Amino acid sequence: MNDGETYDVTVQASFNNGASYCIVGEICLVTINNNAIAGQQSIALNEKGSALNLWPNPNNGDLLNMSLHIADPFISTVSMDIFDLSGKRMIARTVGIQDGLINTTIDLSRSSAGGDLADGMYVVKVTAGDEVFTQRMVIQK
């Protein structure tokens, strides 16, 4: 992978040591940015010029900051789901958006499974109309 290059990426989980895979989410575009400050933010951009920004990442499992700018100013809500690597949905939230913009904080301590998210890697999927953003998030306490 080269700095500045954009790649089509899917997230897949295997339950049988790689003999077969389950797809978690849709194909998303990921741009490699070796100039980012390590451990601070994860940013996803798509072909429509929309952008999702999550921070801090790695996260301590308490609060996740999210900013989103989408192309369609008429969408009023977006859904945010957080999955563990087995594909189990751990958190599901609906967040209001106005004029195509969100700046909010998500409480990660209220998972759907009850209790805190365990240390490890998770997949964050944000859906706004027909736009889908998928990013990884690491919990380190």
Side-chain angles (χ1 to χ4, degrees):
M1 297 191 153
N2 299 315
D3 190 32
E5 295 287 326
T6 300
Y7 301 90
D8 291 334
V9 177
T10 58
V11 177
Q12 298 178 329
S14 175
F15 299 101
N16 53 10
N17 295 323
S20 63
Y21 291 90
C22 302
I23 295 176
V24 179
E26 299 177 15
I27 293 175
C28 63
L29 296 176
V30 174
T31 301
I32 304 303
N33 181 0
N34 290 325
N35 297 323
I37 299 171
Q40 293 295 315
Q41 300 183 13
S42 294
I43 301 170
L45 303 173
N46 70 15
E47 67 279 355
K48 295 182 179 181
S50 299
L52 171 67
N53 189 6
L54 301 174
W55 74 96
N57 192 11
N59 192 291
N60 66 7
D62 291 332
L63 299 174
L64 177 66
N65 297 298
M66 178 175 79
S67 68
L68 176 66
H69 175 262
I70 60 171
D72 186 346
F74 300 106
I75 293 176
S76 60
T77 60
V78 301
S79 64
M80 185 196 81
D81 298 299
I82 299 177
F83 299 92
D84 67 12
L85 291 184
S86 72
K88 179 180 179 185
R89 184 167 53 188
M90 303 301 291
I91 293 178
R93 301 277 191 278
T94 300
V95 182
I97 184 169
Q98 185 172 8
D99 299 324
L101 298 171
I102 293 176
N103 284 302
T104 192
T105 301
I106 306 297
D107 183 359
L108 296 177
S109 65
R110 299 180 353 207
S111 77
S112 303
D116 296 338
L117 295 176
D119 284 8
M121 188 177 301
Y122 295 84
V123 176
V124 179
K125 179 180 176 183
V126 177
T127 305
D130 63 351
E131 296 187 72
V132 178
F133 301 87
T134 306
Q135 290 189 41
R136 69 163 181 82
M137 176 183 67
V138 175
I139 300 291
Q140 289 179 334
K141 297 178 187 174

